[in-house]
Amino acid sequence: MTITSQPSADGQELTIYIQGRFDFSTHQAFRDAYQRVSETPKRYVIDLKDATYLDSSALGMLLLLRDHAGGEGAMIRLINCSPEVRKILSISNFEQLFSIE
């Protein structure tokens, strides 16, 4: 499991890359990825291209990010979801809370 983040050049967008299992063991690394940036971004992108698994705690972490980013007004995109990850997000009705691409 590896979680890394990369702010855009203007600091307006933060991309968080998830590799491997996205579960409770990644809680602190995920939180650090968005809390330890010098500027607060307006937009967040969660790149799940290399995520092999996610569980209910990962869904909870995404909800915590949403709260941190402003709740209903948060601009968060979940991108590069595998069919398995997309299915979990769909069953959980996350397409109503996040932009899933």
Side-chain angles (χ1 to χ4, degrees):
M1 168 293 305
T2 303
I3 296 181
T4 56
S5 61
Q6 178 68 47
S8 61
D10 64 3
Q12 298 295 303
E13 183 171 273
L14 180 68
T15 302
I16 300 173
Y17 301 93
I18 311 289
Q19 296 177 319
R21 294 176 63 88
F22 187 23
D23 57 20
F24 185 75
S25 69
T26 63
H27 178 76
Q28 192 60 52
F30 184 73
R31 181 173 244 165
D32 290 347
Y34 64 83
Q35 288 185 338
R36 295 189 181 192
V37 291
S38 56
E39 291 182 49
T40 302
K42 292 186 181 352
R43 299 176 309 276
Y44 295 83
V45 176
I46 310 302
D47 190 334
L48 296 164
K49 178 178 77 172
D50 295 319
T52 57
Y53 172 82
L54 71 118
D55 66 5
S56 60
S57 61
L59 299 175
M61 287 184 268
L62 291 171
L63 292 174
L64 289 173
L65 170 61
R66 185 174 183 258
D67 289 344
H68 173 82
E72 284 187 36
M75 295 173 42
I76 303 172
R77 295 184 302 138
L78 308 178
I79 65 169
N80 299 321
C81 301
S82 69
E84 296 82 16
V85 168
R86 186 177 281 278
K87 182 177 179 181
I88 292 166
L89 295 169
S90 178
I91 289 169
S92 304
N93 287 321
F94 268 49
E95 64 271 348
Q96 296 179 18
L97 304 173
F98 300 93
S99 172
I100 301 174
E101 301 171 16

